[in-house]
Amino acid sequence: MDFAVEMKKLIPGYEEMSGDYLLPREYVDNDPCKARRYIIQEYEETESTDIRAKNFKEGVDIMEDIQKVDINLMEDAPSNWTYLPLPNETQLISLMASIENIGLISPIILLKHKNYNKYDVIEGKSRVLALKSLYKRNPLEKYRYPVCFILDSEKVDEYYIRSLILDLNFQYRNIPQDVFIRMILERHALLKKTKNFKNEYNLAGVLAEEFLMSKSSIYNYLVLDKLTEEVKTLLFEKRITLEIARLFAKLDHDIQLLILNSVDFKDINCFHRIKFIIGDGSIKDPEKIKELIEKSRTMVPEQISFNVTINKRILGKACENLIDLKRYAALNFSGTFGDNTNRFCKVSFDQNIIKYYLEQNLIDEKTVNKLTAKTIREILSK
C-alpha cells in the first residue's frame, strides 16, 4: 500500500512532508485554508551529528554507488524538499527529444532507505518524468533502467541532501519569485543549522555569493524572516504578494496576527487598505490597529489608471479634453493639496511615437507641454 496515496484519499488537502520542516505551516483561526492537513513523516536518518558534520566538511562521494535502477521504483522526495516547478509541456517534449536522440547525459540521483525497496528522487525529477513517458511510448530497456547515483540514507544527513537539492536546481530553469524566496529562506535556515557564523552580515555574504546577488538584495529577502509563521505560510502558498509581506514585516508578531485575524481574507492583497492599516509600522497599540482596520473597510484606492488608445483623427480633440481636465484639477485642488496637478490628473504617452505627430503638425509642442504640466501657471499659460 502506498501510504501517501491512501492518506490523500482519507484527508482532503493532505500533503506528505518529511524530516525537519524548515519553513512554516501555521494558520490563524479565520483562515479558510486552515482545514488543510500537513502530516510530517519521520524521516529515516541517522541521529549522529558526526555524520552531519562530516557531510558538510568533507562532502559526499555521489559516484560511490552507481547502478541502473527501474524507473518504477522511483518516488518523489518529500514535497517540502523538492518544491521546484516541473517543466511545462514544451520543456518536457524538448527533454524527451534530447534523451531519445543522445541519451541520458546526467545520471539521476536517488536516495535509498533501509528495509524499503523504493528510492526517493533527489535530483532528476523531470528526467524521470520524461523517461516514463518515453518508456510508455516505446518500452526500451534504456528508458526503464537509467544510470543512477545512489545515496544511502544511513550515511547522508537530511540537511546535506536538502542543501544538495537547492544547489543542483538553482540554475536549472527560470525560477518563479515565490520559489526563489523560499529557496533563500530555506538556505538561510540550513546554513544557520549547519555552520557557525559570527553574525548575520557574514551569513548574508555567503548567501549573496551562492545566489549571485548583492548583500542588500539578500537583506531585502531576509527581512521576511521577521514575519510570523502564519504570514510566511500565506507567502509560500502564493496567497499574499511579496509587496504585502514586506508591509507585514514592519510589525511585531502580535500585531501581524491581530491584523490577520481581523481582516477579510478576500482583501488580504488589497494594498491600499493594508498599507493604510500598517503605515510605517510604528503603531503598536492593538486598539488603534482595530480602529484603522475598521476605517479601511470602506477605503478605495487614491488613484486609478486608464489605458486609452487614441486614433490620430481625434488626437487634437482628445488632447483638448485632457488639458481641460488638468485645468479643472489645478483650479479646484491645488490650493488645498499643493501645486502639483499630477496628483489628480497625470497624462502619460509614448515619447517615441508623439515625435512623429509633432513632425507632421498633428499636434504642437505647446499642447504636449500642457499635457505634461504640473503647475497652474504652466497649464493656464497661452
Side-chain angles (χ1 to χ4, degrees), residues 62-106:
I62 294 177
M63 294 183 286
E64 182 181 358
D65 186 1
I66 303 176
Q67 301 178 31
K68 288 188 175 181
V69 179
D70 189 339
I71 54 174
N72 294 316
L73 297 179
M74 301 178 191
E75 297 181 331
D76 290 346
S79 60
N80 55 315
W81 296 16
T82 54
Y83 47 80
L84 277 86
L86 287 171
N88 59 37
E89 185 177 356
T90 303
Q91 292 169 329
L92 182 61
I93 291 172
S94 176
L95 180 57
M96 289 170 63
S98 174
I99 294 173
E100 194 171 25
N101 292 328
I102 61 176
L104 189 67
I105 298 175
S106 301

Side-chain angles (χ1 to χ4, degrees), residues 52-53 56 157 159-160 163 187 189-197:
R52 177 172 298 169
F56 279 95
D157 175 69
Y159 292 162
Y160 183 86
S163 294
R187 187 64 162 167
L190 284 165
L191 287 172
K192 286 199 295 187
K193 285 178 176 288
T194 56
K195 295 184 179 181
N196 293 320
F197 293 91

Side-chain angles (χ1 to χ4, degrees), residues 67-171:
Q67 301 178 31
K68 288 188 175 181
V69 179
D70 189 339
I71 54 174
N72 294 316
L73 297 179
M74 301 178 191
E75 297 181 331
D76 290 346
S79 60
N80 55 315
W81 296 16
T82 54
Y83 47 80
L84 277 86
L86 287 171
N88 59 37
E89 185 177 356
T90 303
Q91 292 169 329
L92 182 61
I93 291 172
S94 176
L95 180 57
M96 289 170 63
S98 174
I99 294 173
E100 194 171 25
N101 292 328
I102 61 176
L104 189 67
I105 298 175
S106 301
I108 296 159
I109 301 177
L110 303 175
L111 183 67
K112 180 181 180 181
H113 298 279
K114 184 180 179 181
N115 301 324
Y116 189 57
N117 70 335
K118 292 196 175 183
Y119 302 80
D120 286 341
V121 178
I122 299 303
E123 204 273 331
K125 191 173 177 180
S126 298
R127 274 164 276 157
V128 172
L129 187 61
L131 286 166
K132 287 182 176 180
S133 297
L134 285 168
Y135 184 75
K136 185 176 180 181
R137 191 173 68 187
N138 189 8
L140 299 175
E141 293 271 306
K142 65 177 182 178
Y143 299 145
R144 181 167 179 178
Y145 297 97
V147 174
C148 303
F149 297 146
I150 312 297
L151 300 177
D152 189 336
S153 64
E154 294 189 306
K155 296 180 181 179
V156 186
D157 175 69
E158 174 197 348
Y159 292 162
Y160 183 86
I161 296 170
R162 295 171 72 167
S163 294
L164 181 66
I165 292 170
L166 291 174
D167 290 342
L168 292 171
N169 283 283
F170 176 54
Q171 293 182 325

Side-chain angles (χ1 to χ4, degrees), residues 271-288:
F271 182 81
H272 70 280
R273 291 182 181 174
I274 300 299
K275 174 65 176 174
F276 174 76
I277 296 167
I278 294 175
D280 62 2
S282 61
I283 299 176
K284 301 182 184 298
D285 180 8
E287 293 305 316
K288 179 62 176 175

Side-chain angles (χ1 to χ4, degrees), residues 175-197:
I175 300 174
Q177 187 181 57
D178 61 295
V179 175
F180 189 65
I181 294 168
R182 187 170 174 173
M183 290 178 72
I184 290 177
L185 295 185
E186 183 171 351
R187 187 64 162 167
H188 181 247
L190 284 165
L191 287 172
K192 286 199 295 187
K193 285 178 176 288
T194 56
K195 295 184 179 181
N196 293 320
F197 293 91

